[in-house]
Amino acid sequence: MTNTSLRRRITFAVARKDLRIEWNSRVLVNQVAPFAAIVMVLFAFALDNDGILQRVAPGLVWLATLFSMLVVIQRSFSVESADGALDALRVAGVDPTAIFLGKSIALMVQLFALEALLVGTAFVLYNITMSPAGLVEAFVTMLTATAGLACVGTLYGGLAAGVRGRETLLPLLLLPVVAPVLIGATRAMEAAFGSGGAQVSEGWPWIGLLTVFAVLFIALGSVAFGPLVDE
Amino acid sequence: MSTHSGTGTKATRGLGIIVLLMLIALAFFGLVFSAEDVVQGSTVRIMYVHVPAIWVAYLAFGLTAVCSAVYLSGKNRSLAWDRVAGASGEIGVLFVAVSLVTGSLWGRLTWGTYWVWDARLTSTAFLFITYIGYLAVRRLGGTHRQRARRSSVLALLAIVEIPLVHFSVNMWRSLHQSASVADPNAKVQLDGLMLFSLFLGLFAFTLLFVWLVLHRQRTLQLEDAFADRGLDAAIAARREEAVK
C-alpha cells in the first residue's frame, strides 16, 4: 500500500472514531448546542434592541462559534487523554499527520453543524433575511472559516492536551490566532446577511482571507502536530 | 560547582555600566538637549523610548524564533538555545508592554484617546498576547526537553501567524502614522539632534536587551540545574531507602 493511501485511510478512521464517539455520547447535541443557543439569547439581553441585533448578528454568530469551539476542542482531546489514547496511537507508530487531519475533519463536521444551528438561531431571534446569493455566500464562508478553525483548534488543542492547566491555556493560545477568522468571517457574513446595507459582492475578498488561513493551517498543522504532541 | 554567586561576569558588568551611562545620556538628549517638535511639541520625546522599545521587542521575538529553529534543527539539541529563546521571549514581552504603554500615553496627548482601533496598534496588542501565551507554555512543566520542543514549535508557529494577523487587521482598518524615518521615499524630516537622540535610544536599548538576555539565560540555566539536582537528590534518597 502506498504511503498516501495509508495516510488517507488512517485519517478517515480517526475522523470516523471521533464522530462515532460524539454520536454515542451526544455531548455536542445535549451540552454544546444548548450552550451556544443560550449565548445567543444572552447577547439579545445585553444589546436589547432589534436594530442593533440585526446589525451585529454576523459578529455574534461567530463569537458564539468561537466560544463553543473551545468547549468542543477540549472535549475532542479529553476523549484522547482520558485513557492515554493519544499516547497509545503515537506509540503504535500511527502517522501524526493523519491523526491531525482526522481529528480536524471530525472537528470541522461538528463545528459546521454548530454554525448552521447558530445561523438558524440568528434568523429566528434576530430577524435576519437573506437573498439566494447571500445564502450561497454564507455557506462558502462557513465552509472556509470552519476548515481554518478546525485545523488551528486541533493543533493548539493537541498542544494543550494532557498537561495540567490546559483548561485555561487553550483560550489564551487559540483566541489570538483565530482573530483573522473572526474578522474575515464576520465581514463576509455581513455581506451575506446584508447587515448595514452591505452588498453580497463585498464578502468575497474576505472569503479569500479565510481560504488563505485554512490552507496555511492545514499545512502548518500537518507539520507541527507531531512534534507538539510527541512526549 | 563554583561558589560564584550571581550571574554577572567582568564582561557583562562592563556592558551593564555602558548601558547605564547610555540610558542616562539618552534621558538628557531626549528630555533636555533635543528640541520640541513643531507639530507635536514635547510629546515627541516619548518617541525616544517608544520606538526603541518596539524595535527591541521585534528583535527579541526574532531571536526567539531563530534560537527555536536552531534548537529544533540542531543535531545535539542543546538546551542552551532553548533558554536563550525563552529569555529573549520574556524580554520581548516586557518591551512590547513598554511600547504599548508609551504609545497609548502619546495617543492620549496627540489623538486625545488612549486607544484607537488602528491596524498597527491592534496587531501589536495581539503580538503581546501571543507571546504571553508562549511564556505560559514554557511554564507548563514536564522535562526540560518537553518544554524546549513545545515552546520551539510554538515560537515558529507564532512567526507565521503574526504576519497573517497583521495582514487581516490591516485589511480591517488603518490610520497609524506611517513610519517617517524608515520610509525610503520620504526625506528624513527629523532635525539632526532629534535623529541622533532616536538612534542613541535604539542603540542603548539594543545593548540593554543584550545585557538582559545574557543575565536571564544564565538564571534560567541555574533554574534548570537546580531542578535537575533536586531530581537527582530525590532519586539518591529513594535508593538509599531501598538499600536499608
Side-chain angles (χ1 to χ4, degrees):
Chain A
M1 199 182 316
T2 64
N3 240 343
T4 338
S5 78
L6 179 64
R7 177 172 285 179
R8 194 180 312 129
R9 279 185 51 197
I10 297 171
T11 301
F12 286 112
V14 170
R16 245 196 328 273
K17 164 199 76 98
D18 269 23
L19 290 173
R20 192 173 295 149
I21 291 174
E22 172 44 40
W23 187 253
N24 290 333
S25 65
R26 305 268 157 88
V27 171
L28 186 73
V29 177
N30 292 338
Q31 292 171 21
V32 183
F35 163 73
I38 194 70
V39 168
M40 295 294 275
V41 174
L42 291 178
F43 280 144
F45 290 162
L47 299 174
D48 194 27
N49 178 314
D50 282 350
I52 293 180
L53 276 176
Q54 260 180 356
R55 173 82 186 74
V56 299
L60 298 184
V61 165
W62 288 108
L63 271 181
T65 304
L66 289 188
F67 292 145
S68 316
M69 179 180 77
L70 294 173
V71 185
V72 180
I73 293 168
Q74 262 154 14
R75 166 76 187 156
S76 162
F77 280 95
S78 72
V79 299
E80 298 290 353
S81 56
D83 299 314
L86 196 58
D87 293 338
L89 281 176
R90 297 289 295 119
V91 170
V94 177
D95 178 16
T97 303
I99 301 177
F100 167 77
L101 292 174
K103 290 194 79 70
S104 297
I105 290 171
L107 194 58
M108 199 176 148
V109 172
Q110 296 178 53
L111 282 179
F112 196 85
L114 200 62
E115 285 158 20
L117 177 84
L118 285 168
V119 172
T121 315
F123 265 91
V124 177
L125 295 181
Y126 304 164
N127 193 21
I128 306 290
T129 49
M130 238 195 293
S131 65
L135 204 63
V136 173
E137 190 174 59
F139 184 76
V140 179
T141 305
M142 281 162 63
L143 220 53
T144 49
T146 311
L149 287 177
C151 289
V152 115
T154 306
L155 182 59
Y156 285 88
L159 168 67
V163 279
R164 280 174 294 115
R166 65 164 183 261
E167 296 81 5
T168 45
L169 186 63
L170 183 65
L172 171 63
L173 292 179
L174 197 56
L175 292 180
V177 184
V178 296
V181 177
L182 181 64
I183 292 173
T186 304
R187 293 292 97 74
M189 215 63 151
E190 271 174 6
F193 286 1
S195 322
Q199 300 298 309
V200 172
S201 61
E202 290 170 27
W204 293 103
W206 296 104
I207 291 176
L209 175 68
L210 293 173
T211 311
V212 169
F213 186 92
V215 170
L216 185 70
F217 274 97
I218 290 170
L220 282 179
S222 301
V223 179
F225 187 75
L228 273 185
V229 296
D230 198 12
E231 298 287 297
Chain B
M1 211 67 194
S2 76
T3 53
H4 182 72
S5 63
T7 54
T9 61
K10 261 186 189 157
T12 59
R13 241 171 259 135
L15 181 63
I17 290 166
I18 293 171
V19 168
L20 195 63
L21 292 176
M22 286 184 77
L23 288 177
I24 293 169
L26 176 66
F28 272 100
F29 273 98
L31 293 174
V32 183
F33 302 145
S34 69
E36 287 189 356
D37 186 74
V38 184
V39 185
Q40 300 178 13
S42 256
T43 59
V44 75
R45 302 182 195 284
I46 291 177
M47 177 184 72
Y48 305 129
V49 174
H50 177 71
V51 175
I54 195 67
W55 150 250
V56 167
Y58 288 146
L59 184 71
F61 296 145
L63 183 64
T64 298
V66 170
C67 290
S68 301
V70 173
Y71 173 79
L72 284 177
S73 61
K75 271 199 190 115
N76 55 353
R77 300 213 160 179
S78 161
L79 281 172
W81 290 109
D82 169 64
R83 286 190 288 259
V84 174
S88 186
E90 285 180 7
I91 295 158
V93 166
L94 177 74
F95 278 91
V96 176
V98 168
S99 72
L100 282 173
V101 169
T102 54
S104 66
L105 290 176
W106 183 86
R108 174 71 185 163
L109 294 169
T110 311
W111 296 329
T113 167
Y114 288 109
W115 188 262
V116 291
W117 291 103
D118 152 68
R120 203 182 306 188
L121 264 72
T122 312
S123 36
T124 306
F126 273 103
L127 189 71
F128 186 51
I129 305 293
T130 302
Y131 279 91
I132 287 178
Y134 168 79
L135 295 184
V137 166
R138 290 192 69 85
R139 287 172 194 284
L140 273 180
T143 65
H144 302 330
R145 297 258 164 225
Q146 283 174 337
R147 174 198 68 198
R149 182 167 42 206
R150 269 194 215 119
S151 53
S152 305
V153 174
L154 198 66
L156 293 181
L157 284 176
I159 284 296
V160 181
E161 80 205 21
I162 280 164
L164 190 65
V165 169
H166 184 79
F167 175 76
S168 59
V169 175
N170 229 340
M171 219 169 138
W172 182 50
R173 62 184 45 172
S174 204
L175 84 219
H176 194 278
Q177 290 226 323
S178 58
S180 38
V181 180
D183 186 356
N185 297 321
K187 278 180 280 175
V188 176
Q189 303 119 318
L190 285 175
D191 138 276
L193 206 52
M194 288 166 91
L195 198 61
F196 175 77
S197 305
L198 181 60
F199 280 112
L200 180 67
L202 288 171
F203 198 55
F205 271 55
T206 307
L207 288 184
L208 175 65
F209 167 70
V210 172
W211 184 77
L212 284 168
V213 169
L214 284 174
H215 278 282
R216 187 59 188 140
Q217 63 90 20
R218 278 185 197 152
T219 57
L220 289 175
Q221 190 180 10
L222 291 173
E223 271 175 27
D224 281 1
F226 179 71
D228 290 342
R229 272 173 76 181
L231 187 66
D232 290 346
I235 291 171
R238 291 297 91 78
R239 273 216 187 106
E240 231 163 77
E241 266 173 25
V243 172
K244 278 176 198 168

